[in-house]
Amino acid sequence: MLMNPPRFIESIRVCNGAFCSLEWHLQRMRQTAAHWQYPLDLSLFPEEVPEEASSGVFKCRIVYDTQIREITYSPYQPRMIRSLKLVDGGALDYRFKYEDRSALMRLTRQKGICDDILITKDGYITDTSYSNVVLENSEGLFVPHTYLLNGTRRQRLLAEGIVQERPIRTSDLNQYNCLYLINALIGLEENISLPVSAIDILSQSNALNNRQ
């Protein structure tokens, strides 16, 4: 066991007192625990939500490492995102949903006047600072084959055949007209979206040109 094992979070949508897509979240927690060789006992997972979270939409936030450390509930209201700035993620690795988001926060500080960032890796589109993305054109709905975190809703949409996976480079963005943000709390039905024209690619293009 590591001397200071990393801690992870799981964010689950609670709607009118019921956990949404619970088995997908438990599966991810099991996979994370297995990778880090954590003896995580999920029999301690709560079967019911507290009374104060029994009506409306809440975010259940679970912090865990070798065991569940903290469970909190808070009312959830999606952020409105009207603009994104392309930011190079460099060597960022976020395959697991770490509690420590400092690396993501450092990238987010580059957003300037935009509402959030859209992170790229080696010229490919990945995620925003807090969500996976779905791009839409006349052919349908697509998720990038590159991602920082393989989110539970992303996995579900693929399994249900609602979206398809494909390589999407920065230079391919003009082939799409709309970008949706999705995560465990936000589905396509929430329509947290923006036109591709609202993605600021100029700053990254200038940075690439300066390196050449």
Side-chain angles (χ1 to χ4, degrees):
M1 188 66 62
L2 296 174
M3 186 70 69
N4 295 302
R7 304 208 317 180
F8 304 93
I9 58 174
E10 197 65 31
S11 300
I12 306 175
R13 181 183 173 104
V14 176
C15 187
N16 294 326
F19 292 108
C20 300
S21 306
L22 181 58
E23 189 50 47
W24 290 88
H25 292 283
L26 295 178
Q27 175 178 294
R28 179 162 64 184
M29 293 176 74
R30 293 188 196 101
Q31 291 171 343
T32 300
H35 178 88
W36 292 90
Q37 300 180 14
Y38 285 175
L40 181 64
D41 183 2
L42 285 177
S43 67
L44 300 176
F45 193 91
E47 295 184 4
E48 298 181 351
V49 304
E51 178 64 29
E52 61 268 22
S54 62
S55 179
V57 178
F58 280 74
K59 175 181 178 179
C60 172
R61 183 178 186 268
I62 300 169
V63 180
Y64 68 100
D65 47 31
T66 57
Q67 59 185 284
I68 293 176
R69 301 290 181 180
E70 179 184 322
I71 302 177
T72 56
Y73 296 84
S74 57
Y76 186 73
Q77 183 66 38
R79 293 168 55 188
M80 295 308 298
I81 301 296
R82 297 180 177 83
S83 58
L84 295 170
K85 174 174 280 189
L86 280 187
V87 171
D88 184 353
L92 177 65
D93 183 350
Y94 199 69
R95 289 172 294 167
F96 301 98
K97 198 171 174 64
Y98 295 104
E99 182 188 31
D100 180 1
R101 288 172 48 86
S102 55
L104 282 169
M105 293 302 96
R106 283 194 292 273
L107 290 178
T108 303
R109 287 198 286 269
Q110 300 178 41
K111 69 179 184 177
I113 62 172
C114 294
D115 293 322
D116 198 10
I117 58 174
L118 179 56
I119 303 165
T120 66
K121 297 265 287 187
D122 300 320
Y124 287 91
I125 298 299
T126 66
D127 301 335
T128 74
S129 71
Y130 73 102
S131 74
N132 293 130
V133 298
V134 177
L135 286 146
E136 182 178 38
N137 63 14
S138 59
E139 300 174 47
L141 297 166
F142 301 91
V143 291
H145 83 305
T146 44
Y147 50 83
L148 298 177
L149 180 73
N150 193 9
T152 55
R153 191 175 296 272
R154 179 186 187 277
Q155 293 176 55
R156 279 187 53 215
L157 291 174
L158 282 167
E160 294 168 1
I162 295 172
V163 302
Q164 301 175 62
E165 186 180 64
R166 65 164 49 166
I168 303 177
R169 291 182 175 273
T170 304
S171 56
D172 298 328
L173 283 174
N174 60 7
Q175 299 175 20
Y176 301 89
N177 48 50
C178 185
L179 181 145
Y180 296 88
L181 279 62
I182 59 166
N183 61 26
L185 283 297
I186 305 169
L188 291 171
E189 60 275 15
E190 270 73 41
N191 193 26
I192 305 301
S193 63
L194 65 159
V196 168
S197 59
I199 301 173
D200 178 7
I201 65 173
L202 183 60
S203 56
Q204 190 172 79
S205 298
N206 289 339
L208 289 173
N209 290 335
N210 290 336
R211 286 187 224 155
Q212 296 172 354

